[in-house]
Amino acid sequence: MGQRSRVSSTLRSHSHFTHQSQSRSAQPSTEISGQADAFPEGRQRSSSGPRSQSKTPTHKLPTRAITPQRKQHRYCEACGIVKPPRTHHCKTCGKCVLRFDHHCPWIGQCVGAQNQKFFFVFVVWAAFFCLWTFATLLGLNVRAASRRGFTLDPQHIVIMAFSGLFSMFTLTMSSTHIVLISTNQTTVEHLAARTTKDREKEVLDEMHSFWSFKAKRRTRQAWDAEYGRIGREGNMWWLGSVRANWEQVFGPRTWTWFLPIGTTKDKGREFSRNPRFNADGVWLPRKQWPPALR
C-alpha cells in the first residue's frame, strides 16, 4: 500500500502535464506521466517529442520489468541456505521450496518443482470425477422422476451438491494452472505481473480520461511494441513457446502429461533465462534484444 500511495502521490504532483488527445495520439509511447523514482526497477526512456507547453517536464516510461528475483542468489535466514532462483520459504512447512508455487492445504504440503505435475494431474482427474458423479446422478434422477412413486433420495441431493461444488473448484484450479504452466510462471510470479499491470493502469488513468478507451489502448500498444507483452516477452522465464514451457514441467513425452508417471525437466535449481532480460534481471527494450528476437 505504501508503494502504491507513493506512486499515486507522485503522479498527482505532475497533474499539470498536458493530456490533450491530439498529443496522445501523436506520441502514445512517450506521453507517460510520472517520475523515474516512482518506478525504481526496470529501464525508463525519456521522450523528446514536441510539447504544447515549453516548460513541461520530461515524461518517463514506467517500468515494465517483472523482476521478482533480481539477485541471482538469496540467503534464507530461517533455513540457513542460499536459495536458488524462484525458491521461496514456506512458513507453514518451515522450509524452502524449489520453484515455489503455493502451499495447498488440500494435499497438506507445498506445490513446487518436484510435484507440480502430480498436483496438476490430481486436480484434473478430480475435476473429471466430480463432473461424472454430478452428471450421472442428475441424469438418473431426472430419468426416474417420470415414474410413479418416485422419491428423491436425500443422499443423492447431498452428493450432487458436493460434486457440483468441487467440480467448479477443481475446474478453476485446472484452468489456472494451465495458464501458469503455459507461460512458465508460478503463482507468486503471476501476482508480480498483475502488480505491474496495476501500476501501468494507474499511469494510464492519469494520462487519459476514463472514457478514452482508444487512447489507452494505443498507449499500451506502444509500450508492447517497445518492450513486448508483460506475460510473454516480459516474463524472465519464458522459454519461447507454450510447448517448451509444458515440457519444462511435464517432460517431453506428451502421452505422460496427464498420467502420474514419467520424469520432468524441472529440477528447481537452474532455469534458462529469457534473453530479453540482462544479467541483473532487468527487462530490456526491444531494440536491445538479440537480433533474432526483435
Side-chain angles (χ1 to χ4, degrees):
M1 296 296 294
Q3 182 180 5
R4 182 163 296 192
S5 61
R6 186 170 68 254
V7 174
S8 301
S9 61
T10 304
L11 294 172
R12 284 195 297 270
S13 65
H14 295 78
S15 59
H16 63 281
F17 292 172
T18 179
H19 299 296
Q20 296 181 356
S21 58
Q22 293 181 353
S23 61
R24 293 196 206 106
S25 302
Q27 295 182 351
S29 62
T30 58
E31 295 278 334
I32 315 297
S33 65
Q35 204 172 33
D37 56 359
F39 301 96
E41 298 179 357
R43 302 178 64 86
Q44 291 96 4
R45 177 177 57 82
S46 301
S47 63
S48 57
R51 298 288 179 183
S52 60
Q53 299 178 3
S54 59
K55 296 183 179 181
T56 301
T58 301
H59 291 204
K60 299 294 182 68
L61 183 71
T63 179
R64 289 208 115 182
I66 303 175
T67 55
Q69 194 168 348
R70 297 187 65 177
K71 296 181 180 179
Q72 185 175 3
H73 298 291
R74 298 176 303 167
Y75 183 76
C76 178
E77 298 288 347
C79 297
I81 62 172
V82 176
K83 296 187 292 185
R86 311 179 78 179
T87 299
H88 294 274
H89 184 85
C90 177
K91 296 182 179 179
T92 304
C93 295
K95 61 181 179 181
C96 289
V97 180
L98 297 173
R99 197 181 181 274
F100 176 83
D101 187 272
H102 72 285
H103 181 86
C104 179
W106 297 98
I107 62 175
Q109 59 181 311
C110 291
V111 177
Q114 303 299 324
N115 65 346
Q116 184 177 15
K117 171 186 176 179
F118 304 105
F119 173 78
F120 177 77
V121 171
F122 164 72
V123 172
V124 168
W125 285 107
F128 277 111
F129 174 73
C130 292
L131 285 172
W132 179 82
T133 302
F134 176 80
T136 52
L137 279 179
L138 180 63
L140 290 173
N141 281 279
V142 169
R143 182 178 180 180
S146 60
R147 301 174 184 174
R148 293 183 179 180
F150 168 78
T151 57
L152 184 60
D153 190 343
Q155 294 184 3
H156 288 185
I157 299 177
V158 175
I159 295 175
M160 284 190 293
F162 276 103
S163 60
L165 177 64
F166 279 99
S167 295
M168 293 186 292
F169 174 74
T170 52
L171 285 174
T172 302
M173 288 291 294
S174 300
S175 303
T176 300
H177 278 270
I178 287 175
V179 174
L180 293 177
I181 295 171
S182 298
T183 57
N184 198 10
Q185 288 181 310
T186 63
T187 300
V188 176
E189 295 159 358
H190 180 72
L191 293 176
R194 181 181 297 179
T195 300
T196 301
K197 292 180 180 180
D198 291 340
R199 292 163 65 186
E200 287 192 351
K201 185 177 182 299
E202 291 182 358
V203 176
L204 289 174
D205 291 340
E206 289 290 333
M207 287 178 55
H208 308 290
S209 302
F210 69 91
W211 61 81
S212 303
F213 301 108
K214 292 184 178 180
K216 291 181 180 180
R217 185 168 60 252
R218 285 194 297 268
T219 302
R220 192 178 295 277
Q221 289 174 350
W223 293 347
D224 291 343
E226 184 171 1
Y227 274 82
R229 296 162 293 179
I230 290 179
R232 297 295 180 96
E233 294 85 359
N235 177 11
M236 188 187 298
W237 314 112
W238 173 257
L239 298 179
S241 67
V242 174
R243 182 176 180 83
N245 295 334
W246 274 76
E247 290 181 353
Q248 177 82 16
V249 177
F250 293 92
R253 298 180 179 178
T254 308
W255 66 274
T256 65
W257 285 3
F258 296 95
L259 298 175
I261 58 175
T263 58
T264 174
K265 293 182 179 180
D266 191 359
K267 304 302 180 183
R269 297 182 180 180
E270 296 181 357
F271 301 93
S272 299
R273 297 199 175 215
N274 190 337
R276 298 172 179 86
F277 288 73
N278 65 12
D280 295 329
V282 177
W283 187 2
L284 301 175
R286 189 181 298 270
K287 63 183 180 181
Q288 298 183 22
W289 294 357
L293 300 178
R294 297 177 187 175

